[in-house]
Amino acid sequence: MSTLVFLEHHEGAHQKGPLGVLSKAASLDPETAGVLVGAGVAPLAAEAGRYGASRVFVADDPRLAAPLPQPRVDVLSRLVRDEGFDTVLFAASVLSADVAAGLAARLEAGLNWDLSDLQRQDGTLAGTRLALGDTVQADVGWTSAPRLGLIRSGSFDPEERGGEAPVQEVPVELEDFSTRAEMVEQAHEEQTGPSIEEADILVSGGRGLGSPDAFSILEELASALGGAVASTRAVVDAGWYPYPTQVGQTGKTVAPKLYIGCGISGAIQHKVGMQSSQTIVSINKDANAPIFEFSDLGVVGDLHEIVPKLTALVKERKGS
Ligand SMILES: Cc1cc2nc3c(=O)[nH]c(=O)nc-3n(C[C@H](O)[C@H](O)[C@H](O)COP(=O)(O)OP(=O)(O)OC[C@H]3O[C@@H](n4cnc5c(N)ncnc54)[C@H](O)[C@@H]3O)c2cc1C
């Protein structure tokens, strides 16, 4: 195997997802390399070595400043051909999905997407893909090289594996058709604290909160725990909380260390987005709520009484 991992970054910092994919890939193939594409990205190369890259390729060019897929496909397709990589891995994101699809078309390569695990089977790479609302687990492979894989968000944690990786600059040659798109504006939503994909602890609220104002008690608990607030589609559709916090089939997939679900029934469409959480704690006044079937700890009661008590307890333990 000779593996390349696309190292996505944002505002001068590595994204956690690709570093996790890098660490996993390095555990399967010690010769795993990483590639950074962008403008002013060279300083990030050293960190990639710490997470398992044996080499880091850097394509640093002002024309790559905007996070547009086609110029990245130009860089990656040339690199894969020149260096003979037989496997290219991406952590799922909007940009990575576009780049992976473009690269698959350019290289006429097979792309397995939404993989939740990777393993070596009989000397070759195999992936795990969950299907039918995550109730079925299938082993998937590739019939040709290069093999492209897009890994589901939160599947692997970044692991410091030590080591310094040699850095190699990549010449940037862009196709005419790749430079036709122009990014007119880039905006981001202001938020305090970590995003729900990055947070180790999520306090998640559902319709059981009863009103949008009740999210303030979840925000207090999340802040005391150093986590972020997530939500269900029911509350997002009702306009109680913003869409970027929605977990589930039509929202985000998360895998925090601790997921505290408050007033959430546990519909399958919600479950598929959070069932990989390490520990699931649920607070629901209905002892028969489906969420208790996949919770590690269930508390039957009114969240409006329990959550503030929990916050007070956390603050007391932390001495603040
Ligand atoms: C195609 C499709 C895609 C979907 N995608 C998503 C998705 O991405 N994410 C998602 O979340 N859903 C999604 N849904 C919707 C999903 O089916 C459920 O409707 C939704 O998850 C329910 O949200 P909820 O748990 O907040 O609300 P409810 O199902 O109404 O549950 C509220 C819970 O709160 C409890 N409760 C009430 N009061 C209290 C109290 N005071 N204290 C404690 N507990 C209380 C109740 O017992 C109940 O269990 C999708 C549906 C479809 C059809």
Side-chain angles (χ1 to χ4, degrees):
M1 268 174 73
S2 83
T3 309
L4 181 68
V5 177
F6 178 64
L7 298 173
E8 199 176 333
H9 48 87
H10 186 59
E11 293 184 341
H14 281 281
Q15 297 283 86
K16 187 176 158 194
L19 289 183
V21 172
L22 177 64
S23 303
K24 177 67 184 184
S27 73
L28 300 171
D29 170 15
E31 295 307 311
T32 294
V35 59
L36 279 159
V37 185
V41 290
L44 297 178
E47 205 178 342
R50 288 219 317 270
Y51 290 96
S54 64
R55 286 182 293 166
V56 185
F57 294 93
V58 177
D60 202 333
D61 189 296
R63 292 171 297 166
L64 298 167
L68 291 168
Q70 282 306 325
R72 282 159 176 75
V73 173
D74 291 343
V75 171
L76 263 71
S77 57
R78 199 159 279 126
L79 185 61
V80 169
R81 284 196 191 112
D82 292 352
E83 296 290 326
F85 287 108
D86 59 29
T87 305
V88 189
L89 300 175
F90 300 82
S93 73
V94 173
L95 177 65
S96 285
D98 272 352
V99 176
L103 190 64
R106 197 80 68 86
L107 298 176
E108 295 191 358
L111 168 64
N112 272 311
W113 77 100
D114 200 26
L115 299 178
S116 59
D117 201 3
L118 293 168
Q119 58 286 136
R120 287 188 86 141
Q121 271 180 18
D122 305 325
T124 189
L125 186 70
T128 302
R129 188 155 190 274
L130 299 163
L132 299 176
D134 286 4
T135 55
V136 174
Q137 187 170 307
D139 285 345
V140 293
W142 291 257
T143 52
S144 62
R147 313 172 190 95
L148 310 189
L150 187 63
I151 316 297
R152 184 184 275 209
S153 128
S155 296
F156 307 122
D157 280 332
E159 265 175 45
E160 292 222 24
R161 307 175 66 86
E164 256 180 47
V167 178
Q168 210 168 313
E169 278 181 36
V170 178
V172 177
E173 292 170 38
L174 304 182
E175 304 288 348
D176 278 349
F177 57 79
S178 298
T179 53
R180 300 251 171 92
E182 187 189 332
M183 182 157 285
V184 179
E185 189 188 11
Q186 200 176 359
H188 68 272
E189 194 162 351
E190 290 297 333
Q191 64 169 43
T192 51
S195 71
I196 66 165
E197 293 115 310
E198 304 269 314
D200 282 337
I201 299 175
L202 287 180
V203 181
S204 192
R207 194 152 33 197
L209 284 168
S211 76
D213 295 344
F215 265 99
S216 62
I217 61 172
L218 303 195
E219 285 162 358
E220 278 172 38
L221 177 57
S223 152
L225 289 167
V229 176
S231 67
T232 67
R233 179 165 164 177
V235 298
V236 170
D237 284 354
W240 292 5
Y241 223 58
Y243 173 69
T245 64
Q246 183 184 316
V247 169
Q249 185 183 325
T250 45
K252 290 181 179 149
T253 302
V254 295
K257 291 190 176 130
L258 175 63
Y259 189 95
I260 306 178
C262 308
I264 296 176
S265 58
I268 180 73
Q269 295 91 352
H270 187 76
K271 182 184 174 193
V272 296
M274 46 69 79
Q275 63 187 354
S276 305
S277 306
Q278 274 177 36
T279 302
I280 299 172
V281 177
S282 300
I283 303 168
N284 197 305
K285 68 177 186 186
D286 175 5
N288 295 315
I291 199 160
F292 288 135
E293 288 165 22
F294 51 92
S295 296
D296 299 286
L297 178 70
V299 184
V300 179
D302 185 345
L303 69 92
H304 299 97
E305 287 173 21
I306 295 162
V307 173
K309 282 184 188 161
L310 201 50
T311 307
L313 200 62
V314 172
K315 284 186 177 167
E316 193 187 304
R317 290 270 171 96
K318 286 192 167 176
S320 61

